[in-house]
Structure formats: structure tokens, C-alpha cells
Amino acid sequence: MSSGDTAWILISAALVMLMTPGLALFYAGMVRKKNVLSTMMMSFAILAVIGVLWVLYGYTLSFGPDKGGFIGGLEWIGLRNVGQEPSSAYATTVPHLAFMMYQGMFAIITVALMTGAVVERIKFSSLLIFSVLWFTLIYCPVAHWVWGSGGWLAKLGALDFAGGTVVHITAGVSAMALALVLGPRKGFTERHPMEPANIPMVALGAALLWFGWFGFNAGSALSSGGLAANAFVATNTAACSAAITWMSLGWIHRRPSLLGVATGAVVGLVAITPAAGFVNPLAAIPIGAVAAAISFYVMMWRTKQKVDESLDVWACHGMGGTWGALATGIFASAAVNAAGTDGLVYGSAALLAKQAAAVGVVWIVAFAGTWVIAKAVNAVVGLRVKEEEEVVGLDISQHGERAYGGL
Amino acid sequence: MSSGDTAWILISAALVMLMTPGLALFYAGMVRKKNVLSTMMMSFAILAVIGVLWVLYGYTLSFGPDKGGFIGGLEWIGLRNVGQEPSSAYATTVPHLAFMMYQGMFAIITVALMTGAVVERIKFSSLLIFSVLWFTLIYCPVAHWVWGSGGWLAKLGALDFAGGTVVHITAGVSAMALALVLGPRKGFTERHPMEPANIPMVALGAALLWFGWFGFNAGSALSSGGLAANAFVATNTAACSAAITWMSLGWIHRRPSLLGVATGAVVGLVAITPAAGFVNPLAAIPIGAVAAAISFYVMMWRTKQKVDESLDVWACHGMGGTWGALATGIFASAAVNAAGTDGLVYGSAALLAKQAAAVGVVWIVAFAGTWVIAKAVNAVVGLRVKEEEEVVGLDISQHGERAYGGL
Amino acid sequence: MSSGDTAWILISAALVMLMTPGLALFYAGMVRKKNVLSTMMMSFAILAVIGVLWVLYGYTLSFGPDKGGFIGGLEWIGLRNVGQEPSSAYATTVPHLAFMMYQGMFAIITVALMTGAVVERIKFSSLLIFSVLWFTLIYCPVAHWVWGSGGWLAKLGALDFAGGTVVHITAGVSAMALALVLGPRKGFTERHPMEPANIPMVALGAALLWFGWFGFNAGSALSSGGLAANAFVATNTAACSAAITWMSLGWIHRRPSLLGVATGAVVGLVAITPAAGFVNPLAAIPIGAVAAAISFYVMMWRTKQKVDESLDVWACHGMGGTWGALATGIFASAAVNAAGTDGLVYGSAALLAKQAAAVGVVWIVAFAGTWVIAKAVNAVVGLRVKEEEEVVGLDISQHGERAYGGL
Amino acid sequence: MKKVEAIIREEKLEPVRAALEGIGVYGMTVAEVSGRGREKGIPLQWRSGEYRVEFLPKVKIEVVVLDEDLSRTLNAIVTKARTGERGDGKVFVIPVEHAVRVRTGDRDDNAV
Amino acid sequence: MKKVEAIIREEKLEPVRAALEGIGVYGMTVAEVSGRGREKGIPLQWRSGEYRVEFLPKVKIEVVVLDEDLSRTLNAIVTKARTGERGDGKVFVIPVEHAVRVRTGDRDDNAV
Amino acid sequence: MKKVEAIIREEKLEPVRAALEGIGVYGMTVAEVSGRGREKGIPLQWRSGEYRVEFLPKVKIEVVVLDEDLSRTLNAIVTKARTGERGDGKVFVIPVEHAVRVRTGDRDDNAV
Ligand SMILES: Nc1ncnc2c1ncn2[C@@H]1O[C@H](COP(=O)(O)OP(=O)(O)O)[C@@H](O)[C@H]1O
Ligand SMILES: Nc1ncnc2c1ncn2[C@@H]1O[C@H](COP(=O)(O)OP(=O)(O)O)[C@@H](O)[C@H]1O
Ligand SMILES: Nc1ncnc2c1ncn2[C@@H]1O[C@H](COP(=O)(O)OP(=O)(O)O)[C@@H](O)[C@H]1O
């Protein structure tokens, strides 16, 4: 066991934990004033609920001893056999408990990410039910396939350093499916302006996400050495590159905006996630820039449709994660990480094909699985609040609170 | 000396430092708009003042060479003999200065915690005088009893991993005594509504507290290994469990609220504090849940009394810390930490008795000591602002500022 | 390579990164509501732009193999030869990439610091152009002189632990030159009140700065041991001491204010920056206190002049950094850091003379260089927005956004 | 000219605005206000328990109209702002003696 | 009917509300405003030194009352809002020609 | 007495205030409001693309003046608030029947 590696994983776990409140701020600043608390509440409640479910059964389903490549066994249920000593399967220089918790923070934020699609109209109780089902039926299996030892996508040779597929594609694609089942906000189709309540809050949220993402990506080296440093540099560089790109695209169209810089940075962070520990840090510049361009125009296209995937989880995380996974197939270099392999620019197309396959599988599973779960929840308890409740705002109608005190 | 352990303690100290501004936000969001700055100012000023007093004399009184089990000697006054090498008495793998500073952050936040009881009416100058006296006469001795090498409560065998007794019981019980001496806010007895100014600010504060608490509890392992990981997992799990519980109780009574989730998380963090490094991580689930239930109903009861312990430091920290200390006696396991011992569920009642004794002693000392100090300060300089000042708000009357600029 | 040291440098780099968003909040809370986003945007955009330029050419200019003491060579351009292994010249126990990134965060915040001087009236495009030029022509050379191996100021024997000269004097003095070229805000000369929009935001920003500064100063030990602990303690103590001093000066003149405590803390952190790893932690008390007093009265004097260096980057960072550099010459002790030497209070005036020389050189270079760059940018593209744009506010006119959504 | 001051529910601003636009009334000024009346406040959640807020958020619309447009305007507002629950609000009509358009200096009926 | 517009200190809202309730006046609308007058602004702390804010926060209460309730209403407000210091505020009385209760369509005296 | 209600651009508050001070009108009450009229809203940036906000921020100044000061007051406001672009705003004059100074109880012309 290494005390340096352990310190790094523990602080990385703390950093990833902070991302969920960061996300709460990032999202809440973009909705209307009457839904600020409800938007924050979704992330906070998911943090609490998935935080407990993870130790109870999520970890063993995702990382427990492999059953046929598809799911982890129940040997580690309720943290049985997960102790202060390193596991033999994962992160062998840090306590097993530290690895377990670090992974738990990923599960939490993945579920929270989807809430951006459904703000301002989903019933809180139904969101919780949906989240628990989705976590159990989609997240845990997919995490096992990609990261569990013995997982079939891992065996295939698909690479995902810190969660481009597991976190961002699943969340982004599922967000779209869920939004389609749920339907648009009242007034959306008529293009009523829905002005963001608090852009400084969005920027603060983005800053906390960026800060936490160092734990997310560089922590995924699972040790504190050269690979972590490589991932750290790639992470920061991608965020910067994508932020500049988004700002410039906004400028070309009209004005450079803070909302754009914040969004661009997040998209860059998404895209570098699967690649950070497999590519040269400088590859982060094109990876970030292309990600921002893709998301920017996909978001513009989405906005023109009748589809109210409200805060563009699909455009940012789904598309950013997809591009990042493919970009890993393009830019990966075995010289950076011996556990990786050479990608397209180093002369081999095999990895790119595997990445595309993994992306395709996860798109389909996430979309179809989420559609079914969402339809089921809708049929049984209803996904939406009543129209009057939506009109009054979810802060009052769902939570009996309002964000800013009156006189 | 271990560079991994040192990295862990230094970052933990930084995390605990961040808790005090986090607390400032947590509290300030719950008061009325006219007192937001004054509420933040209390925490920031205490951070500055205790930060200096700690290096001057607080550390040596608390941790200096023992004098009869009751107080530390002055051998380490002004950081004399506290250097870059490890001490022989504490945290022997990290620089003595690092241990000293880490402990200092605990002293700061303990004093700041009490301010929640007295917001919106205490005179700023008197609060500072009270804080200095309380820190010197209550905090330093109690810290020595429990954590100082040779301290009499430590020798008794009472366990307090990260400050359930030293931090939370002292602060929570003292807060009640101080509030009783100070008296209620104008309008409190008539039940004037006092709407929280800014609930997103409360949630952000709670998030920073949660984040910082990883340093508080897992840092208290004083090294970066399995025990730190154990404490880390227990900490997160307790926060989640308590947040769910509080949210559910609110829901049963009427609605699940963000204020409730934030409060529940903090109460869970309080309760796991003394236990985090002595109990199995899964024990955090009942510990958190019971803590939330206790605090919830105690708070409801307190609100119905004529007692204006305004932000419920007593209900959250006093009761949460008390339950946590007793729960340590119930759930502790020598298998988790050889420095601990088995608690009630592992067949031994001795620890629980010791925990109860320590709790009783600290309740009495904190309550009586604070009462005397508060009465003395009140007699000499007066604790309250003038009625007009209270009516206008403390931001203007005490600090000549207002939170949000006008036109 | 040490995993403990690497963990410490990586987390320190993350902490320093967080300072730039912290600065964005700190500054944005102090401007009028109509310029809140534009003020934040400056820091965020600089983070993105300098973040990319640093890996492309900034690092090699600053730290690349020395060319005559004046500049780094291009051997490390685009991170060539900067890999996962430690460099032989700097921080030999951590990956070269980690050291590179850590230094990059310093470059970013230095450029961002200057924006405080020019808020509410500078054209966004011109600010970016100025920033890129300034970074290339002023920051990189000065960083090389002081910190590059072979840099001529380093060879002279001037000490700068974490950037008193490189970061704070360059930023503070340049801010003044830039403000003089740019001219005052409309209404400034007529003393129109310009009320800060959001003081809680200022306090939150100061808290994040303080938190991040542990990475800035204690990280500058470049390893995680006694020296880092020494710097950590000195840092915290200086912040506390300066905050108390500023609060007290405000009180003597009228009232103790939160804005004052926040400003004082930042000034204390500035002043201890060059000294933190060379002085005894207790020396931080006078260093912080004197810094606060100097900045307080310089700021008061500046406000009375017709000079609109709007958020007093010069008074806080320029003067704070100058005092800190001189204080290093006064309080340094070879016993604290063998790489340092004894200062005035330990009987030798030589260091103080060298410090004064370095300060003088950097003042002149920063002021003159910035003046020339600013005049050039002004001549070619114009530095100021149009008068109507200034009157409407930069959020709308430069960025097409407003901070807080309407009805 | 008359000034119509309508104090209505926040969420009715949009339908009222649209209805006024429908009858050719574009110009208006809106403020966020708080009101109380027969509606009995609203219970909000505290950390545990709840409390009652007396003043509820409303919006106040001010529209100055020519005398001949008055009844149409009143009608449009009252119809669109109604839910039938307590708290729907009030409309008041106040005499206006003069009006000036700042941009042009146009006076009275030409200024509305 | 008359509209009473009272611009008073923020902290006097509560006593005024209570006094009006005491004389049977429940309905009212309140807005946060800023005012200046003989009161000479307020000095606020800057980082070092201070500056003066000209416009001070006030609340504006609007109550529409029947003519016969006017003098009682004025009385209640003036008595409760007074501190005797500059800045206590002003009360203005403005004629109201019509009133409508949105919920029911009740008109004029029945609508107040 | 008349109440002058001027809805103007936010950035014109300061010049208007100064001009009123110049003609001896000190007392006034100001509120932040939103307005729409011939001005066609403002386009704001969204993350990608943009959207249009209909209601634009304005300030509403309320000044109660003696009848003899009315035209000077109107003049000062209209002159100083004008930019010549759409959205400059409107000024309305409303009759005031009574006024009371809270501090002293002074009535009507003495209260302004
Ligand atoms: N007499 C009044 N003067 C001014 N505003 C009033 C008056 N009565 C009611 N209001 C405003 O109208 C709103 C709705 O009034 P309320 O009595 O609650 O509903 P309803 O008219 O449907 O019975 C109040 O919140 C308040 O803003
Ligand atoms: N002529 C006026 N028109 C509109 N509002 C006024 C007028 N005079 C005063 N006010 C309002 O009344 C408030 C108090 O007035 P002020 O002159 O300061 O106090 P006092 O009436 O006690 O001398 C002001 O802040 C302003 O909001
Ligand atoms: N009829 C009206 N009643 C009330 N307020 C109005 C009316 N017309 C305009 N306003 C206010 O005046 C502002 C400016 O009006 P607008 O028509 O945009 O400009 P202009 O008068 O220069 O053509 C609007 O934003 C609104 O606040």
C-alpha cells in the first residue's frame, strides 16, 4: 500500500464528490427563478440516495467478482470483503475502501447529470424512483462491462480512462430518452423566453466542476505518478481549448458569453475524460476544440427542434463523450500508457473500431433501457407535475420553499 | 516522516479551513437579508482571530506537555519547539507544524459554530470578546482532556475520533447557554416570520462543509492509509443516510425540502465525527439516520419553546454530537481500529459507559462555563445591540455595509 | 519520484487553478450589477487562453533551458521533452508534467489579477490582446529571471518563494500602468457612488483564494514535508494577522467590515507569498499586519487621487508584494530553509539589499513594459468601450448577457 | 387617459401580456411586488416544521390607455388573470392628467 | 375609493401592517423602493474609507380604501411609521376611479 | 399637488436626479421595473444561439410636486432622459389629493 497513492485517491474522491453540488449550481443557475431550488434539490437528493445504495449494492454489482462479463456478483454486498487492505483486482496500492468510494462518486454524478434534461417539470418523487431504477439497471451493468475486471467491453479492448462511455454517454443519451418521454416544458414549444436565473451561479458551478474534474480524470490513474500528471495536464488543456472554441463560435455568431465559456469548458472536460490517460497532453487541444464545435452546433440544432432536452445533457455529455471515446481511438499512444495501445494517428485503426463498437452498444443500451424505465415510471406514478404546479414553479409546489426570501 | 501522510494532513488542514467560510454561507443564507453580512462576518472574524491565538497560545494549552491531565503546559507557546520535524507525541509521520495547524482549524470552526445561536442581535465587539474567552477557557482545556497526551478523559478511555465531544458537544451546548443569556430576537416570541434570505447559499455552504469534512474526519487518521479510507467512507455514508432521513421526515410532515437535505447532511456528518475511525463504514447508516431523527424532532420542539437558539446549533451539533459519542460506544469495533475497542454490539458495555461519562462531563462544563462567561461579558460590555440597531439590521448597524448593492 | 510529493503538487496545482475563479468572484462582487458577468468573464477567458498558451510556449520561455539568464530556450516548446518523468532541473521528485502544470496555474492567475484595474470599461477583445502580449513579453521573462534555472535575478541571490515578485509585483504594478493608460470610469472623477453588487460573493471569492493559496505557497515547497508545513502555517497566520489588522483599521476609522476582512486576508496572503518558505511561521504575524496597514492607507490615498485603478490591484498586490519581498530580506532564516539565507533580523543586510534590487528592477520593467504594450494596443484597436456601452454596462454590451434573469 | 394598475399572479403575466397585445395594447410597465388580502399567506418549509409567509409575490402591471380603450383593457386583464382561487388580485383605474413620450416630447394622447 | 401610497422605512412595515389589520384593512400591496429626500443618504464602508449612498431602501405600501376608511388608514400609518428622525417617509392619497376584483369580477366598492 | 411618474432608462437615473436637484426637487422615490413598448426587446446570448427578452429593465421615478413646479419638473426629466432611441420611456402626471409627512404629520403642500 502506498500512502502517496492513497492520499491522492482520497482527495480525488473528495473532489469528485464536490462535482455534484457543483453540477447543482451549474444547472440551477440556468433555470428560471421559480425552479432554482428544485433543480439543486435533484442533485443533492441523488447524492444522498445513490451514496447509500452504492455501498449497499451498487459497488458489488459494478465491480464485484465477474459473472459472465455482464455483471458483478453479490460477494461484496454491503461492503462485505471490502476493507482497509487493497483489493487484488483494482488499485492495488490503495485501500479497497478508498477505491470503492472513489468509484461511488462517479455513480452519483452520472445519475445527477441526467437531471438537466428534465428540470422545471418533473415530479420529485418520480425522479427519485427513476433514478434508483436507472442506477441499478443501466449504470451498474455498463460500469461493469467497461471497468469491472472481466467486463465484456473491457475484454473487447475498448478504452475508457475516466468515464467517457460509462459516465457521459450513458448520462447524455439517457437524458435525451427521458426528456422525450417526459415532454417539453409548458411554453417551450411557443418559444417563451426562459431566462437563466443566475449566471454567476452557473460560472461558479462550472469552476467547481473543473476543479473536481482533476480528481475525476487524474485520480483515474489510481496512483499518484506520471500517468496522473499526464491526465491532469490533458484535462486542463482540453477545458481551456474547448472554452476558447466555444467563446469564439459565440463571438462569430454574435457575442462571446460567460455562459458559453462555462459550457465550453465543461464540454472539453467531458471529451477528454475517456482519453486523458491514453493521449499525449497536447492532443487535448484538438480534442477539446472539436468537442466544443460539435456540441455547439448540435445544441443549436436541438434548440430548433421541438425537443426540450432542457439543459442539453445530450449535446454536452452525450456528444462530448462520444467524440471523446472516438478521439481516444484516434489519439491514443502506447507510449503514454502501457495499458493502452496506439490509435489512428499512430498507425492503427483497430482501437478506433473497438471504441466505435463500445460507443454504439452503450448508445443503444442507454437509450432503449432508459426509454423503457421512463415509460414504466410514467405509467405507474406519472413523471410530470400538474400543470398548475409547473406554472407556480417546482420550488413552491414540490418543496414548499423559495430560493430568495422576501421582504 | 512520510510524504504521503504529510500531503494528506496538509490537504486535510486546507479542507477544514474551508469549512469555516462554508459555515458562514450555511448560516448567512438562513438569516434575513439585513443580517447576511453580519452573519458571515462572525465566522470570518473568528477565523482570523482564533487563527492567530492558536499559534500564540492555543496549541500549547491544548496539546502542550500535560499538566496533571487538565491542561497543556506553556512549553510550546508561540510555536516554540514546534518545528518541521514530527513531534514525538502526536502524528509521528508528519511535521509537527502540520499537526499543529490541522488542529488549529478545528479550534477555529468550533468557535464559529456557536455563532448560529446568536445571529441577528449580538453586538459584534462582544461576540469577539466572548469568543476569545470561550476559546481560552473552554475549548483549550476540553481539547486537552480528550486529545492531549495525558488528558484525563483520554486516559479514562473515552473515544472521540474527530471531535464529536471536543467540537460538536462543546459548541452545541455552549450555543444554547449563550442564546439563553442573550435572549430572543425581537419578534421571535410573537412568531414573526423570519424567512431565510438565500437557500442556494445554504446549500452551497452545506456542500463546502461536506467536502471539508473529509479532511476533518478522514484526516483525523493522521496518516493516509486504511483507517483514513474507513473514516472517509463512514463520513460520506452518514451524510447521505442522514440527508435521506431528514428529507423523508420533512416529506411525512409536508414536503421534502432542500433546506432539510442540507441540514440532514450536516447532522449526519456531526454524528459520525466521533465514530468515523472506530466503526465499520456500514454502521454509518444507522448512525446518520438516528441522528437526523433526533435533531429533527429536537429542533421542532425547540422551535415551539420560547428559546431562540436561532440556527439550532444545539439541536444539530449538541444533540448530533451526543448521539455520535454514544453511538461510538455502541458500534465501535477493535477490528476497525486497534486503538479503539469493542462497543455494545460487539458485546461490551464498558465503552458506552465511558462515552456517556465523557458526554456528561462536557455538557456540564460547556453549559456552566459558557453561562458564566456570557453573563460576565453581558455585565461588563453588554451582549446585545440596541433595539434600533437590531431593527435596521446588523449589516448596516454593526458593519456599515449591505449585502447587495442598490440601483 | 515520490508519490507523496506528486500527490501534493497535483492537488496544489488544482488548488491554484481554483484561485482564478475565486478571483473572478472576488472582483465581480465589487463592481456594479451591470458589470458582474463581464468582470467574471475576464478571469475565465484568461484562464482558458493562458492555459493553452502556457503549454504551447509559455513554459519553455519561462523555464526552458536558459539563454543568457534572460529567457528560456525553445527546447520545450509544445511540451517537447516534458514528460511523465521528473525534470533534472526542477522538482526532481515529481513528474515534469506536474511541475509544468503547477507553474502554469501561476501564470494564469497573474494575468487575471490585473483585470481588477480595468473593470467596467475595458473592451473585451482588447483585454485579450493585451493579456496575450503581456503574458509573452512581461510574465515569461520575469518568471525566468526569478525562477528559471540560470535566471539572472535568481543568480543575484534574490529570494521569491512563491511569487511575491513574479506574480504580485508584476501584476500590481502593471495594473497601475494599464489603468493610467485606460483612464477612469465615467463618473469616477465626479465621485459617483459605485456600490459593490454582491459582498457575499466577494467573501466567497476571498475564501476560495485563501483555500487555494495553501497550494500556491505550501505547494511551492515542491515536496510534501517540513518546508511545505512551514509555508502552510506561515500562510494561514499571515492571512489571519492581516485580516485582523484591516478590520481594526476600519473600526478605528468607523466600522469593521466584511469587505475589509476579506481584503485584509488577501493582502496578508500576498505579503507572505515570497517569504512563506524562508521565514519562521511566527514572522507571518508582523508581515501580515504591516502589509495590511500599508495597503489600507495606500488604498485610501489612491482613492483620493484622480486615479481609477478600480479594485486596487496595485495597492493590494503591488504594495503587498513589495513589502513581502522586503520582509523576506528582513525575516528570512537559513534555519528554516537551507536554500535561503539569513535576513536582517538574523544579522545580515545583504539579502535585504538584493531583495530591494529585485523589487526595483521588476517595478521598472513591469511599469514601463506595460505602459508601452497598453499604449500600443490602445493605438491599434482602442482599449475602451464606447461611452454608451459603458453606461449600459459591459454585461449587455460586450457579452449580450445579464447576471440575474428578470421576471 | 387612465392608468390601469393590475396586481395579478406572477404566472399570469404572460397570458395577460399576450391578451393585451391581441387588442393592440403594447406599452406597459411591470414590477415585482408582494401582496396580502383574503388569501391567507403560504406555508413554507423550515428545516423542521414550517412557517407562514404573509406577503405573497405578485406582479403589478401598469398600463396607461386612452379612455376609449379602458374597458377592453380591463376585460382582457380580468379574463386572463383569473383562476377563481383567492389571490387572483385586483385592478384599479386611476386618472392620468398628462403624458409625455420622452423620446419625442409628444404629449398626452399622442404619448401613450 | 382612494389609493393610499405610503413610503416608509422597511422596518416599519410590520407594525404598520399590524395596525392596519387592527382597523380592518387587510388587502395591500408592497414594493421595495429606494428614496431620497431631506435625509442625507447613508455612509457605507468601502475597503478603506467610505462612500455615501444617496438612495435609501424604503418600502412602498399601496392600499386602496373606501373614502370613509381613508382618515383612519392615514392615521394608522402615520402613527406607526414614525420615528421622528429624517427619512420617515411620506403618504400620498390618489383618487381611484374604478376597482375590479379579478377572481369574481366584483366592481368598485365591492372590490376593495 | 401632482405625482410625476417617469419610466426611464436605468442609466438616466443619475442625470435626471442631478437635474431635479438643480431645480430644487430633492424628494423622490425610485423603483426597478421592467417595461415593453415600441422598443422590440433585446436579444441575449444563450449557450449557443440567442433568445429575445421582451421586458427591459427601466427605472420608475415618482416625484410628488406642487402644481407650480410641475412643468419645470417635466422639462428636466424629459430633457435629461432622452437619447432619441426607442425605449426612452414615458412620463405620466397623476393627481394627488393629499400628502402627509410621516415624521411631522405636516399635510399637503407642506409635506412635499
Ligand atoms: N385594498 C387593496 N389595496 C391594494 N392591493 C390590494 C388590496 N386588496 C388586495 N390587494 C392585492 O391583491 C392581491 C390579491 O388579493 P386577495 O384579497 O388575496 O385575493 P382576492 O381578491 O382573490 O380575494 C393581494 O395580494 C394584494 O396584492
Ligand atoms: N416629493 C416626493 N415625492 C416622492 N417621494 C418622496 C418625496 N419626498 C420624499 N419622498 C420619499 O420619502 C422618503 C423620506 O423622505 P425624507 O425627506 O428623507 O424624510 P422626511 O419626510 O422625514 O423629511 C424619501 O426617501 C422618498 O422615498
Ligand atoms: N402605455 C404605457 N403604459 C405604461 N408604461 C408604458 C406605456 N408605454 C410605454 N411604457 C413604458 O415606457 C417604456 C418605453 O416605451 P417604448 O414604447 O419602448 O419607447 P418609446 O416611448 O421611446 O417609443 C416601456 O418599456 C414601458 O416601461
Side-chain angles (χ1 to χ4, degrees), chain D residues 7-9 33-40 56 58 85-90 92, chain E residues 3 25-30 62-65 101-104 111-112:
Chain D
I7 299 139
I8 60 171
R9 295 180 190 277
V33 297
S34 309
R36 71 194 291 269
R38 304 211 177 162
E39 202 183 5
K40 279 287 155 274
L56 297 178
K58 302 280 169 192
E85 302 287 317
R86 289 191 164 184
D88 276 355
K90 301 274 158 80
F92 303 117
Chain E
K3 181 164 82 154
V25 175
Y26 284 92
M28 70 177 67
T29 301
V30 173
E62 296 180 287
V63 212
V64 174
V65 292
R101 182 190 309 279
V102 173
R103 172 162 52 92
T104 55
V112 172

Side-chain angles (χ1 to χ4, degrees), chain D residues 12 18-19 25 51 56 67 81 89 102 111:
Chain D
K12 291 300 179 189
V25 175
Y51 61 100
L56 297 178
D67 294 4
V102 173

Side-chain angles (χ1 to χ4, degrees), chain A residues 7 24 79 88 108 145 191 200 214 269 277 312 320 354 361 363 391:
Chain A
L79 302 187
S88 55
I108 290 165
W145 302 349
R191 307 231 168 280
F214 291 125
L269 291 162
D312 285 294
K354 290 172 188 169
V361 166
W363 266 73
V391 163

Side-chain angles (χ1 to χ4, degrees), chain A residues 352-386:
Chain A
L352 183 55
K354 290 172 188 169
Q355 296 295 99
V359 165
V361 166
V362 174
W363 266 73
I364 292 166
V365 168
F367 194 90
T370 302
W371 183 277
V372 170
I373 297 173
K375 281 286 185 193
V377 174
N378 198 23
V380 179
V381 291
L383 276 173
R384 272 188 97 107
V385 298
K386 296 201 206 93

Side-chain angles (χ1 to χ4, degrees), chain A residues 394-407:
Chain A
L394 272 59
D395 290 5
I396 293 283
S397 72
Q398 300 290 296
H399 307 294
E401 294 180 297
R402 53 186 192 185
Y404 306 106
L407 284 156

Side-chain angles (χ1 to χ4, degrees), chain A residues 21-100:
Chain A
L23 186 74
L25 295 166
F26 185 70
Y27 281 169
M30 280 191 281
V31 301
R32 285 167 293 173
K33 204 164 71 179
K34 62 186 175 183
N35 295 311
V36 165
L37 294 183
S38 117
T39 302
M40 297 188 77
M41 180 71 169
M42 296 180 195
S43 288
F44 276 84
I46 284 170
L47 168 55
V49 171
I50 305 300
V52 166
L53 297 187
W54 182 256
V55 299
L56 289 180
Y57 67 79
Y59 180 63
T60 198
L61 288 185
S62 307
F63 289 90
D66 180 62
K67 307 289 153 189
F70 280 92
I71 195 76
L74 297 181
E75 286 87 340
W76 297 350
I77 199 164
L79 302 187
R80 247 191 300 155
N81 304 310
V82 180
Q84 299 187 16
E85 291 308 303
S87 102
S88 55
Y90 309 101
T92 53
T93 60
V94 307
H96 195 176
L97 279 168
F99 175 76
M100 182 283 302

